[in-house]
Every structure is written in C-alpha cells, then in structure tokens.
Amino acid sequence: MKKILPILLLLSLYACTTEQAKPVQTASDNVFMVVLGIAQDAGYPQAACTKVCCKDLWNNTAHRRQVTCLGLVDKEAEKVWLLEATPDIKFQMEQLAACLPSRETHLPDGILLTHAHIGHYTGLMHLGREAIGAKEVPVFAMPRMKNFLQTQEPWAQLVRLKNIAIQNLQADSTLVLSKNLKITPFLVPHRDELSETVGYRIEGPSKKGLFIPDIDKWNKWERSIKKEIQEVDFAYLDGTFFKNGEIPNRDMSLIPHPFIEESVALFDDLAMEEKKKITFIHFNHTNPALNPKSAERLELLAKGYRLAEEGERQGL
Ligand SMILES: [Zn+2]
Ligand SMILES: [Zn+2]
Ligand SMILES: [Zn+2]
C-alpha cells in the first residue's frame, strides 16, 4: 500500500495536467461566446507543409483546425455575430447558426473585423456574386480597414453590389450589439501593412472578455496586458508561436508575435486566479501546443493556462 499511494498520487497529478478546465457556460446562459476556429491565418494543416506538424493531417480530418474565429450569440435577441471573416467562413457560419437553430437565416447579423491579414477578412468573398450574393450584411471595420475594402478589388465590388454594408468602428468607442451585448475595439501594434489592427473587449450582462488574436509584442503596446486581464473574466490571447526559431529558414523578427514562452514569463507573477483566465488561440501549424500530447501543451496546462478548443463556449 505504501508503494501504491505515491504512484496513485503521481497518476492523479498527471491526469490533472492532460485535461484542461472547461470554460464556463451554464444551460441558463442566453448570451455566450463560441470558439469557431483556433489556427493562425493559414490554418492547420498549412498549404504545402510536408513537415511532421501537418503531414498526417491531409488524410486525417479529425485533427484539422479552422482559422481563428469567435461567434457571439444572444438567444434573447435571436441574434448572432461573427468576429473575423476567415477562409473557413462557410463552416463557421453553419456552426454559429447551429447555436441558434430557431433562426431561418444562416447569415450572421454582423461581422466584426480585426485587420487585413488573409485569415481575418478574405472569407468576405463568400458574400459576393460568385457565392451567396448576400444583401447588405453589416461588416464592422476600422477606418483604414474600411478604406481598404472600399478601394481594393475584389472587395470593392462587394461594397458596390451592396453585398456588404460597412459600419464604422472607432477605437475605444463602444458598440451596442443588442440589449445584452456590447463590444469595444482597441488598437494594438501589429504589422499593419494594409490596415490598422484591433482587439476586442466583449461585454455581456454578467461577464467580460478580451480577444487579441494578433499583436506584435506585449511591450510594444501602450497598455499593460496584465492590467487588462485583471479587468475581465476571460482573455483569448495571441498564441501564434511557442518559441523563437520555430520556423526554420524564416526571419521571425519580420512576423513578430509574443512567443507563448515570453507571455508565460511575463504572466509569471500573476495570481493563479488571473492565469486561469488566459486562453491561448491563433496557433501556427508549427506550434507544438496544437499537439494534444506535447510536453509544451502539458506544461502550459500545469501552469493554469488554457488552449482554445473549437466548439467551447464562454457564458457572457
Ligand atoms: Zn492572424
Ligand atoms: Zn505544418
Ligand atoms: Zn495579422
């Protein structure tokens, strides 16, 4: 017996680290956020990747992941919104519609964009003439993003044909989506070649959350991410790369993101309660945290962090 106890203890510790805490949504939640994709812009697997990260995924759909996207659902108002228009939008619209089956339309009541990198807006193409031929779907965009869509083809055609109706977003200005839901875009430093980049603060009747899928480095931001985390109930944060050197033969300083290793070091002095609010998302195909059995993933879970999973819901 004396020998068995420590083994049992070890086993139970191991069990704790392989399964992460479930996000909080109760059956009574009428307002919630749902995760519809967790991968970086290029998805998982990534085009032409022959490396170990992707090679088995071409024939195995179970482990594939969609591009980062969140859905917002207000059952009381019977409305749904998409955060991001990704290359996987046709699946994500279905998954979002399934959250509120009483609605006839499978189109969202609005699409809120963060920036003009391929994983975040090119899904808009499905609203155009070659696809849905939608009528004035509200697309919420910041000033540079709006200008980009209005002036660059083929996006300008969506505006001309009134497939989309661009709604103005302003940094730090709160948008009321419904009686229950508010959302506030805020600027974050990102490469910004074609548009500015925003993150969102989401506010429901009882919970608040943060969504920052892309940011160059935490210390380039004039705000303190640790303070921002303390002011919300949950935070979905840029987890693109695990550590420097992850993509061989590419200068990673040209595609800056806070490495998960750096974020974990920065958040080290946060109380466990705060760490548990943090869920990493927007994983590059090379990120070992995508692998359910990797040591990197288990280490993050053991430290109290979460890794976003498709289909998970956060009550708001
Ligand atoms: Zn991205
Ligand atoms: Zn790969
Ligand atoms: Zn980006």
Side-chain angles (χ1 to χ4, degrees), residues 22-196:
K22 292 265 177 289
V24 236
Q25 196 221 5
T26 62
S28 65
D29 277 320
N30 276 328
V31 187
F32 60 89
M33 188 197 91
V34 55
V35 175
L36 303 172
I38 64 163
Q40 180 266 4
D41 301 43
Y44 181 57
Q46 180 176 305
C49 183
T50 54
K51 288 181 295 192
V52 62
C53 46
C54 297
K55 75 174 169 55
D56 292 334
L57 299 187
W58 298 111
N59 296 319
N60 177 0
T61 52
H63 291 288
R64 289 186 192 167
R65 293 295 177 265
Q66 297 175 159
V67 176
T68 296
C69 173
L70 302 180
L72 296 176
V73 178
D74 181 347
K75 284 189 171 174
E76 225 175 87
E78 294 234 318
K79 286 189 168 176
V80 299
W81 297 265
L82 268 183
L83 268 68
E84 310 289 25
T86 87
D88 294 316
I89 197 170
K90 62 177 172 182
F91 303 107
Q92 290 163 333
M93 275 189 194
E94 280 310 290
Q95 291 150 359
L96 183 60
C99 294
L100 200 50
S102 56
R103 278 162 56 93
E104 245 172 63
T105 175
H106 285 197
L107 281 170
D109 293 283
I111 300 174
L112 294 99
L113 303 176
T114 58
H115 66 300
H117 281 159
I118 62 161
H120 301 264
Y121 78 98
T122 55
L124 293 176
M125 66 187 177
H126 286 282
L127 298 170
R129 196 172 248 172
E130 305 92 325
I132 303 168
K135 289 196 175 60
E136 301 192 317
V137 173
V139 172
F140 296 84
M142 292 287 291
R144 270 187 76 199
M145 184 76 221
K146 176 183 175 178
N147 183 60
F148 171 75
L149 294 174
Q150 284 176 328
T151 58
Q152 305 298 312
E153 300 293 352
W155 320 108
Q157 178 172 286
L158 298 175
V159 180
R160 275 197 312 279
L161 297 180
K162 297 197 164 85
N163 300 125
I164 63 172
I166 301 184
Q167 313 290 313
N168 296 325
L169 283 179
Q170 234 186 312
D172 307 314
S173 172
T174 298
L175 183 76
V176 177
L177 293 175
S178 70
K179 203 176 83 196
N180 292 316
L181 266 174
K182 285 189 252 177
I183 193 158
T184 311
F186 50 83
L187 288 166
V188 294
H190 191 37
R191 307 193 304 278
D192 294 354
E193 301 96 331
L194 306 173
S195 76
E196 66 281 84

Side-chain angles (χ1 to χ4, degrees), residues 200-217:
Y200 286 104
R201 187 183 161 116
I202 304 154
E203 246 178 283
S206 52
K207 295 239 167 66
K208 294 188 199 89
L210 276 184
F211 176 48
I212 308 179
D214 273 274
I215 186 166
D216 283 356
K217 292 284 176 194

